[in-house]
Amino acid sequence: MSLSKKNKEAFLNPLTINNPVTVQVLGICSALAVTAQLEPALVMGLAVTVIVAVANVVISLLRKTIPGRIRIIVQLVVVATLVTLVSEVLKAFAYDVSVQLSVYVGLIITNCILMGRLEAFAMQNGPFESLLDGIGSGLGYAKILVIVAFFRELLGSGKLLGFDVLERFGYVNNGLMLLAPMALVICGCIIWWERAHNKDLQEK
């Protein structure tokens, strides 16, 4: 099945020219907090992707029946339900990772990316388009988390996913990479690279 131009943009734009972290500057707090290691960053990115995609579809299906005055409350209820389900699944099947993520899974409820997509897209579009937008936005967020976590774990501890990578070559770990401010520095480098290589992101 071929996708229309609008559907392709809904899926691809969050991965590139409208990335929720580097362009919209949303979800920065979790990007700083959960990217000291690659594994929790992967899990967090996957969790947000699933929650945004499903929440988008649910809100899109309900959008014509939700009174405007309580739409935010309904959106929060949907997101909170999904976050609770994801949190319980993580505790059941990936307990160690859920402990590492700590309160940040619960804080997905207040993630600006979710509320932004629900309000700006799902309330205005059909379920399929909303699904694509949710997946694209989640993957765009996850992409940044994975890149940041890759460099922080590799340079900070010489490992990736717990496996020694650089230590065998005599690499001396850089403890600064494991501190939260370095996540912000890496995000800044990603923003610079994206703006330098994409004319659509350059200020006129």
Side-chain angles (χ1 to χ4, degrees):
M1 179 180 66
S2 60
L3 299 177
S4 66
K5 181 180 179 181
K6 179 181 177 181
N7 288 344
K8 288 180 180 178
E9 289 178 351
F11 177 73
L12 295 175
N13 281 0
L15 294 171
T16 53
I17 63 173
N18 197 28
N19 187 277
V21 179
T22 59
V23 178
Q24 300 176 45
V25 196
L26 302 174
I28 289 290
C29 294
S30 53
L32 301 180
V34 303
T35 54
Q37 292 182 315
L38 190 54
E39 185 178 17
L42 284 167
V43 173
M44 186 70 165
L46 178 61
V48 170
T49 300
V50 170
I51 292 169
V52 178
V54 176
N56 260 15
V57 172
V58 173
I59 294 300
S60 177
L61 290 170
L62 298 176
R63 72 188 189 281
K64 294 182 179 179
T65 62
I66 302 175
R69 290 178 297 177
I70 63 168
R71 69 186 189 282
I72 300 298
I73 297 174
V74 174
Q75 291 169 12
L76 284 172
V77 170
V78 170
V79 172
T81 302
L82 293 171
V83 168
T84 301
L85 291 173
V86 168
S87 178
E88 293 304 310
V89 169
L90 288 176
K91 289 177 182 177
F93 298 101
Y95 182 75
D96 291 341
V97 177
S98 71
V99 171
Q100 285 181 284
L101 292 175
S102 183
V103 299
Y104 297 103
V105 173
L107 288 176
I108 293 175
I109 296 172
T110 59
N111 194 311
C112 298
I113 296 171
L114 274 98
M115 301 310 297
R117 299 326 298 162
L118 295 178
E119 184 69 13
F121 198 93
M123 289 293 291
Q124 318 296 331
N125 295 276
F128 182 65
E129 293 85 354
S130 298
L131 174 66
L132 293 176
D133 177 78
I135 294 174
S137 296
L139 291 179
Y141 169 81
K143 180 185 80 170
I144 302 303
L145 256 64
V146 168
I147 293 173
V148 173
F150 174 87
F151 286 107
R152 289 186 69 192
E153 183 175 6
L154 181 65
L155 300 178
S157 62
K159 300 179 180 179
L160 283 177
L161 294 174
F163 296 100
D164 291 339
V165 176
L166 297 180
E167 287 184 353
R168 67 186 67 181
F169 301 109
Y171 175 76
V172 178
N173 298 336
N174 183 352
L176 286 175
M177 295 301 296
L178 300 178
L179 300 178
M182 291 309 300
L184 195 59
V185 171
I186 297 173
C187 282
C189 292
I190 296 172
I191 292 172
W192 166 79
W193 188 90
E194 287 187 346
R195 290 182 179 274
H197 291 81
N198 194 325
K199 293 182 179 179
D200 293 331
L201 297 177
Q202 295 174 6
E203 297 181 1
K204 303 298 183 181

